Amino acid sequence: MDTLAPLVLLTPLAGFLVNALFGRVLPRRVVGWIGAGSIGLAFVFALVALSQVLGGQRLDQTYFTWWQSADFNVPFNLYLDQLSTLMILVITGVGFLIHVYSVGYMREDPGYSRFFAYMNLFVFTMLLLVLSGNLLWLIIGWAGVGLSSYLLIGFWFERTSAVLAARKAFVMNTIGDVGMVFAAFLIFLNLRVLDYQGLFSRVHQLPKGGVVITAICLLLLLGAVAKSAQLPLHTWLPDAMEGPTPVSALIHAATMVTAGVYLVARMHLLYDWAPAAAATVAVIGGLTALFAATIGTSQVDIKRILAYSTMSQIGYMFLAVGIGAYAAGMFHFMTHAFFKALLFMAAGNVIHAFHDDQDIRHMGNLRAGLPITFWTFLIGTLSISGFPLFAGFFSKDEIIRAALSAPGAEFWLGVIALITAGLTAYYMFRLFFIAFGWEWLSHDDRHLHEALPVQTVPIIILAVGAVVGGYVPVASFLSPVFGHAVEVGAGAFIGLAALSVLVALVGFLTAYLLHARRPDLALVWRARLGPIHTLVEHKYYVDELYDRVFVRPGLALARFLNDIVEPRVIDGAVNGVADFFLLEAREFRLIQTGRVGTYALWTLGGAIGVVLVVAAFLGYLPVRLGG
Amino acid sequence: MTINISGIGIDYGAILPELVVAGTAIVVLFLELVVPPDRRRWLAAVTVIGLLGALVATIPLWGQNRSAFGDTVIADSLAVFFNVLLIAITIATVAISPRYLHALDLDYGEYYILILGATAGMMLLAAATSLMTIFLGIELLSISLYVLSGFARTTLRSQESALKYLLLGGFATGFLLYGMALIYGATGSTTLRGIAAFTTAASSNAAGNVLLLLGIGFLSVGLAFKASAAPFHMWTPDVYEGAPTIVTTFMSVATKSAAFAAVGRVFIATFPSISSRWYFPLALIAIFSLFIGNLVAITQDNIKRMLAYSGIAHAGYILLGVLPGTAQAFSATLFYIAAYSVMNFGAFAVVTAVAAGGEQNADLSHWRGLFYRRPFLATVMTIFMLSLAGIPPTVGFFAKLFVFQALVNAQIWAPLIVAVIMTIVSFYYYLRVIVIMLAAPDEVAVEKRPLGIPTSTVLGVAGLATVVLGIFPAVVLDWATRAASLHF
């Protein structure tokens, strides 16, 4: 076990190093094999780890001390319990499928080896984030996934929009990173530990619900919100769709963006100890779920719709972990990884078929041209909309049930979650009907070709996961970490299930009516909803708001500093200091005459100086030194 | 009178590494007679094999505490630490030598003999526990280096530097010997153990003993001269500039390391009880070195002179770790020495490689656009410059951090403040090299002259070590801590 965890971690790193250093000279086939194979190998190791965890083993092993200074001790330790096992299984498993898909999807890209190097780097840093047994390495992994996400969003760096999107994502994430670092500072200041084991055992020394613990949890939440694209740091995720589609599937749907959920779940003892912070998590999650879902109803770019859907689904997970239903949140993380990776990869096939056009209004009638993509996308849509017996149904239901059955104000979050479930069904089927539907629009399907098997087989495998993933007993698997969830009676179970199915049906029927049966009605309703529709279509003008409030004043300040303060104040001072040192240095340089006599004289002078100091010590001089 | 040989404690095992190095020198001396002139690279190979043998011989001494030859040498972890460091430096030097010597038409076998002689002297100095063996080590290394400095027989500058080094070195040796004589006069002992016993004895009043304090003062003059600390540094820029670059590479790191081994043994192990007496002169020397080294480096337009002043400044940083007089702080010094050896050796090795490529003049203007002509050299040079400046994630950052931390723990503020300010000043000249290398070249002509496998390996390893140790400093720090603590 103590060799298994480093193996999981190091295989993707090895893949990254090989592809980064030698990728350009290796044949493409080999690059792809190494890229996907290293993740596959890591998945095999993760499976072995799972068997050992199921056998009751856990791991908290320190491999070396990275840094030791007085009582500041940073070990490199890996922490493998049920929670991190679930995470590494999804990261390497779904990651492997997406890597295989990329072999086909990226086959004509000139940056093939660079792509796989970045992808492997991402998987490595993500695994580091999940497996780390202390806050510092967690933050290193956290920053590492931010870096690889930045590199991959800007993968096509010749496009201005991609570069801008990458920059935006990086800046937003850095805001969160700062929060994480400050949280680590506060934890170390108050508890003198950075490793999880010590942290979890000492957290109860802080007063429950006190300022310190609440501040720590809120700062951690800042990091989580930025990484997981929750309100109000969500605006980078839709833009991140500028990256290649496998990147969207792996990083911006299945794994990295759920790191915030993992963080709250990992730190659940802290959040249990800070109820106010936990409530904030839940409220942010609930609001984001609803907010993003409403935006999803009005977008026309297939990847952006999926991006808003991701935000919304992660909102569910935040809601779950915020109200203490940690296992439910992680369950939804797993099923979401299946169906959302599926949806993105299927969307990638469609985008390729339409020559990189992402507007759903230009698509249609894909059943004949892309049958595998069509049916798998339908399965994904059914799963995310929460249709009975699909994976999404079970996991989403568990969250809604936990919220509705909780005492107090969580009830209203449950209501929001229910409304969101209806909206989800609506916008997903709207997407499906418009992009895949049987309405013949303007194309000739003879041009449409199904993707290669290397792209369709991973999607089919994920489709299986999107169906049967709901039967995986995640809650009981995670019970050693989070404790047992409260059992709900069969009556309540069936009642709530029926309610959520009903809501999903309403969403589905609305979509069917407006976008499949009577498209004219959609136009009428859009006109009637006028200003509301405009508001939603423009994503509530949040980007514009940030532009006015932060970006433009920031630029204005920068310009002021650059044009006024910098040349007159800073440069003056800096150059003054530099000139002073240069002047002094030139004078000192004159000592070096090149004559041996001068040099000997200096040595003698130094020796005399030493003699004088000794004399001063002994009291032979009027100046006294020391005792 | 009969001499009881076993009473002296002859233990050849304790000095086996030194013996192997000296033996290799003798072997090379004879081989030189039979090896044809165009096969002199074989001598380099033999030298490396001999040094590897010395490395093998030194490892088992780790963790031991074997005094031998009447308390004049010791085989302990501190000696092993320096032995490994010095042997590694020498191997790296010898590995990159043949190409450089060939380019300068200096391909003579005496070169390897002298290098081995200097190494043996340095290793002896690191193991010395008597004033006599300290002197023996210093002279062995000095005389070898005097000759090596003038090894470019036909170059006037090389001759000049050798003569300057010899004259000033002789002058400093005078102080060193005088100091030793005074200490012997005051304490009646030449072994460090005997001297330490005298200073700690309550009756001796060591803190008020004029002879002893003057002796320590002159001893520190001599050692500071070898470590090229200001104001005893005057020879350094001229000698570094004039000597063949490969020799400069070797002595800039090896001599300094060996000198600080002696500083550690003398000041921290022998005179801890009167640390209030030597603290002040040493602090002044450190501050002087930081000040002069960093300031004058700014104005240099010759990279060898610039690195010479940078070396003076680093002598100051290294000396800072000695000031608190504790084993914990001394481990920071040892770490700094190891870090400095890697990065400074690398920097000079790049200068050597550039010189062997035809640019004999080490003027910085020739480095303009190096990045476009020799991307590999410029890249590793960038790493070394960043590390010498102390920018993470390089080993130079942790080296400075540990030393500064030791000063904070000991509440020594004035030298610390000078060191921090001077570090900022140093950014100017280190980063300037990077700027010059990155500046657009006057004409773009990619040089395709290969570096040769030994040189590129040495540079690659040094560059990699600079970064890797900057991320994982704990390994070396752990060794340094054990080497510093086991002895005391």
Side-chain angles (χ1 to χ4, degrees):
Chain A
M1 188 102 184
D2 52 348
T3 54
L4 209 54
L7 278 178
V8 174
L9 195 56
L10 293 179
T11 348
L13 179 66
F16 160 69
L17 288 176
V18 172
N19 271 340
L21 294 175
F22 311 111
R24 276 201 234 171
V25 292
L26 290 173
R28 289 191 158 222
R29 182 178 287 273
V30 178
V31 168
W33 270 106
I34 292 171
S38 59
I39 310 300
L41 197 59
F43 180 57
V44 173
F45 291 132
L47 280 177
V48 181
L50 170 70
S51 72
Q52 298 191 356
V53 168
L54 284 175
Q57 291 189 52
R58 285 174 77 255
L59 176 80
D60 185 12
Q61 168 89 19
T62 300
Y63 291 91
F64 61 89
T65 300
W66 187 42
W67 189 344
Q68 165 105 46
S69 165
D71 62 343
F72 180 70
N73 179 21
V74 183
F76 177 78
N77 58 335
L78 297 182
Y79 193 88
L80 194 59
D81 61 352
Q82 285 79 4
L83 176 59
S84 32
T85 307
L86 176 68
M87 292 296 294
I88 62 170
L89 279 171
V90 172
I91 293 164
T92 55
V94 177
F96 172 62
L97 294 174
I98 295 172
H99 274 73
V100 172
Y101 172 86
S102 309
V103 170
Y105 190 85
M106 300 297 288
R107 65 185 179 278
E108 273 154 23
D109 199 280
Y112 196 68
S113 65
R114 187 165 56 96
F115 178 81
F116 278 102
Y118 288 167
M119 289 286 269
N120 283 7
L121 175 67
F122 165 74
V123 174
F124 164 68
T125 47
M126 185 74 201
L127 288 170
L128 180 65
L129 189 165
V130 170
L131 284 172
S132 163
N134 65 70
L135 275 169
L136 209 83
W137 284 97
L138 169 82
I139 291 173
I140 291 171
W142 197 265
V145 292
L147 169 71
S148 32
S149 157
Y150 166 80
L151 291 171
L152 283 165
I153 296 170
F155 182 76
W156 288 314
F157 54 82
E158 64 276 14
R159 288 188 201 160
T160 314
S161 56
V163 174
L164 289 179
R167 194 177 69 188
K168 188 174 182 182
F170 197 76
V171 170
M172 288 281 190
N173 272 294
T174 304
I175 297 172
D177 293 352
V178 172
M180 298 280 291
V181 171
F182 274 106
F185 282 169
L186 273 186
I187 288 174
F188 184 75
L189 272 181
N190 288 287
L191 299 170
R192 316 302 290 182
V193 282
L194 283 177
D195 67 298
Y196 294 163
Q197 206 63 265
L199 173 62
F200 297 157
S201 63
R202 290 195 204 175
V203 63
H204 300 293
Q205 294 171 4
L206 295 170
K208 181 167 184 176
V211 178
V212 176
I213 186 73
T214 308
I216 289 170
C217 287
L218 288 177
L219 285 168
L220 286 175
L221 177 62
L222 183 62
V225 161
K227 193 63 77 194
S228 297
Q230 299 293 292
L231 287 174
L233 296 176
H234 62 283
T235 57
W236 65 271
L237 185 60
D239 290 11
M241 297 299 127
E242 288 288 342
T245 304
V247 173
S248 313
L250 178 62
I251 300 183
H252 305 116
T255 53
M256 184 192 84
V257 286
T258 55
V261 184
Y262 166 77
L263 181 71
V264 178
R266 172 57 79 210
M267 298 291 153
H268 69 277
L269 285 175
L270 277 68
Y271 281 93
D272 288 344
W273 210 243
T280 316
V281 177
V283 170
I284 285 179
L287 289 181
T288 308
L290 181 64
F291 173 87
T294 54
I295 297 178
T297 60
S298 64
Q299 301 297 309
V300 292
D301 180 318
I302 185 166
K303 283 180 74 180
R304 280 176 181 261
I305 297 174
L306 292 177
Y308 281 108
S309 146
T310 304
M311 274 168 60
S312 172
Q313 297 300 311
I314 296 172
Y316 273 113
M317 301 176 210
F318 265 63
L319 169 58
V321 293
I323 58 175
Y326 300 109
M330 295 315 295
F331 186 26
H332 196 55
F333 150 75
M334 186 189 80
T335 59
H336 175 254
F338 292 153
F339 59 67
K340 190 52 71 64
L342 180 169
L343 290 170
F344 263 113
M345 293 202 288
N349 287 350
V350 177
I351 293 167
H352 258 196
F354 284 91
H355 307 288
D356 296 334
D357 189 352
Q358 305 190 359
D359 192 327
I360 53 172
R361 293 169 300 186
H362 302 160
M363 304 169 182
N365 200 23
L366 296 177
R367 190 169 47 161
L370 301 161
I372 303 176
T373 305
F374 177 90
W375 288 111
T376 47
F377 197 93
L378 180 60
I379 292 173
T381 307
L382 288 170
S383 191
I384 191 176
S385 308
F387 272 74
L389 309 182
F390 286 84
F393 165 75
F394 292 101
S395 57
K396 194 186 288 184
D397 236 34
E398 215 162 285
I399 294 174
I400 296 173
R401 195 163 61 234
L404 285 179
S405 57
E410 285 95 333
F411 177 80
W412 295 106
L413 290 174
V415 173
I416 289 180
L418 255 175
I419 297 170
T420 307
L423 282 169
T424 307
Y426 169 72
Y427 70 69
M428 281 312 298
F429 276 102
R430 167 179 174 271
L431 164 62
F432 184 76
F433 288 135
I434 296 180
F436 289 73
W438 40 80
E439 282 297 324
W440 183 252
L441 292 178
S442 55
H443 338 271
D444 188 358
D445 66 340
R446 277 171 302 180
H447 293 304
L448 297 179
H449 291 293
E450 182 58 281
L452 299 174
V454 73
Q455 279 164 268
T456 49
V457 171
I459 302 182
I460 295 171
I461 297 173
L462 281 174
V464 174
V467 177
V468 303
Y471 303 100
V472 178
V474 172
S476 67
F477 175 65
L478 291 177
S479 59
V481 184
F482 302 122
H484 286 278
V486 185
E487 291 293 326
V488 182
F493 180 89
I494 291 170
L496 283 168
L499 191 61
S500 63
V501 169
L502 189 70
V503 170
L505 265 178
V506 170
F508 164 74
L509 288 173
T510 319
Y512 179 72
L513 183 68
L514 290 180
H515 301 292
R517 198 103 307 243
R518 301 274 312 273
D520 52 315
L521 266 183
L523 294 174
V524 172
W525 273 96
R526 182 180 305 173
R528 256 184 226 171
L529 288 172
I532 298 177
H533 183 266
T534 318
L535 182 68
V536 173
E537 194 174 15
H538 287 89
K539 302 160 263 175
Y540 297 93
Y541 295 100
V542 175
D543 270 322
E544 286 77 0
L545 180 75
Y546 286 176
D547 190 53
R548 291 276 159 79
V549 177
F550 298 111
V551 180
R552 285 193 203 176
L555 280 177
L557 181 67
R559 255 182 231 115
F560 168 74
L561 292 174
N562 187 47
D563 298 344
I564 311 291
V565 177
E566 181 77 8
R568 293 188 195 165
V569 183
I570 312 274
D571 274 2
V574 170
N575 289 340
V577 172
D579 286 345
F580 166 76
F581 277 113
L582 265 178
L583 201 69
E584 290 294 303
R586 292 220 175 84
E587 283 176 13
F588 276 115
R589 191 187 183 175
L590 297 179
I591 300 167
Q592 203 78 27
T593 57
R595 292 168 191 278
V596 177
T598 322
Y599 295 180
L601 213 57
W602 270 90
T603 309
L604 185 66
I608 291 173
V610 170
V611 173
L612 285 178
V613 171
V614 171
F617 270 125
L618 295 172
Y620 295 133
L621 291 183
V623 191
R624 271 199 73 86
L625 289 167
Chain B
M1 194 176 118
T2 55
I3 296 171
N4 180 4
I5 291 190
S6 63
I8 296 175
I10 289 180
D11 176 7
Y12 291 111
I15 57 162
L16 191 60
E18 287 87 345
L19 289 179
V20 172
V21 173
T24 309
I26 294 167
V27 170
V28 174
L29 185 67
F30 283 110
L31 278 181
E32 215 260 329
L33 299 173
V34 294
V35 171
D38 57 328
R39 298 278 164 82
R40 291 226 169 90
R41 312 173 162 259
W42 291 6
L43 299 176
V46 173
T47 309
V48 169
I49 292 168
L51 287 165
L52 287 174
L55 195 62
V56 172
T58 201
I59 301 295
L61 302 176
W62 178 260
Q64 296 199 14
N65 201 357
R66 274 158 78 176
S67 284
F69 295 96
D71 258 358
T72 56
V73 290
I74 191 167
D76 61 357
S77 296
L78 188 65
V80 174
F81 183 86
F82 278 100
N83 281 351
V84 171
L85 192 64
L86 291 166
I87 291 171
I89 292 169
T90 314
I91 288 178
T93 309
V94 172
I96 62 174
S97 293
R99 186 168 171 275
Y100 177 85
L101 294 175
H102 192 72
L104 267 68
D105 219 6
L106 291 176
D107 218 347
Y108 301 109
E110 291 87 348
Y111 171 82
Y112 300 107
I113 302 164
L114 290 166
I115 288 273
L116 285 169
T119 309
M122 291 162 184
M123 287 163 67
L124 184 61
L125 186 56
T129 53
S130 150
L131 297 178
M132 291 300 98
T133 38
I134 289 176
F135 184 70
L136 192 63
I138 285 185
E139 284 309 291
L140 189 50
L141 79 89
S142 297
I143 292 168
S144 305
L145 288 175
Y146 297 153
V147 184
L148 280 172
S149 304
F151 200 71
R153 294 174 216 185
T154 52
T155 316
L156 202 60
R157 302 220 62 148
S158 176
Q159 299 302 307
E160 182 191 332
S161 85
L163 192 63
K164 276 184 179 166
Y165 195 17
L166 174 67
L167 288 174
L168 293 167
F171 192 53
T173 304
F175 282 106
L176 186 77
L177 262 186
Y178 191 28
M180 288 178 173
L182 289 175
I183 293 173
Y184 176 61
T187 63
S189 173
T190 56
T191 62
L192 296 184
R193 184 169 298 174
I195 296 167
F198 174 83
T199 55
T200 46
S203 57
S204 63
N205 183 27
N209 191 320
V210 183
L211 286 184
L212 179 64
L213 294 188
L214 271 182
I216 294 174
F218 288 146
L219 189 66
S220 47
V221 171
L223 289 174
F225 179 87
K226 286 296 156 203
S228 61
F232 312 104
H233 66 284
M234 305 291 288
W235 59 276
T236 317
D238 292 14
V239 173
Y240 278 20
E241 189 192 355
T245 312
I246 186 77
V247 176
T248 313
T249 307
F250 176 68
M251 69 179 169
S252 73
V253 289
T255 316
K256 202 169 297 237
S257 309
F260 274 104
V263 168
R265 289 231 193 259
V266 170
F267 287 96
I268 297 174
T270 314
F271 298 126
S273 57
I274 49 168
S275 62
S276 65
R277 289 294 181 263
W278 53 256
Y279 163 76
F280 203 75
L282 282 197
L284 277 182
I285 291 175
I287 290 175
F288 246 117
S289 305
L290 290 168
F291 210 68
I292 301 231
N294 282 315
L295 273 187
V296 185
I298 293 179
T299 64
Q300 299 303 321
D301 295 320
N302 179 303
I303 189 136
K304 281 165 83 178
R305 289 187 80 86
M306 189 279 268
L307 285 174
Y309 281 105
S310 132
I312 294 164
H314 281 283
Y317 291 114
I318 298 173
L319 202 51
L320 291 178
V322 178
L323 294 182
T326 60
Q328 188 258 329
F330 191 55
S331 66
T333 285
L334 292 184
F335 184 86
Y336 203 112
I337 290 171
Y340 171 79
S341 299
V342 174
M343 58 201 185
N344 212 51
F345 182 91
F348 264 119
V350 173
V351 178
T352 309
V354 172
E359 287 167 19
Q360 294 305 326
N361 190 339
D363 201 280
L364 262 177
S365 59
H366 290 271
W367 288 59
R368 169 174 281 272
L370 188 75
F371 194 82
Y372 305 93
R373 283 177 283 139
R374 315 293 300 257
F376 174 71
L377 285 182
T379 306
V380 287
M381 190 65 173
T382 304
I383 295 175
F384 299 134
M385 287 296 119
L386 292 176
S387 184
L388 284 166
I391 293 169
T394 57
V395 69
F397 165 73
F398 278 103
K400 285 204 170 67
L401 181 75
F402 293 144
V403 167
F404 290 173
Q405 197 182 21
L407 290 187
V408 170
N409 287 345
Q411 313 233 337
I412 295 174
W413 301 114
L416 176 65
I417 291 165
V418 174
V420 171
I421 292 174
M422 283 301 146
T423 302
I424 300 168
V425 172
S426 76
F427 288 175
Y428 178 86
Y429 58 86
Y430 290 127
L431 299 184
R432 185 162 155 244
V433 176
I434 301 175
V435 171
I436 288 175
M437 289 193 301
L438 283 171
D442 301 331
E443 72 248 39
V444 180
V446 180
E447 292 175 34
K448 280 289 177 190
R449 235 167 321 179
L451 277 176
I453 292 170
T455 309
S456 39
T457 310
V458 166
L459 284 175
V461 169
L464 202 64
T466 306
V467 176
V468 169
L469 292 179
I471 301 171
F472 304 108
V475 187
V476 174
L477 185 67
D478 190 40
W479 289 338
T481 310
R482 283 159 67 186
S485 60
L486 269 175
H487 180 74
F488 301 98

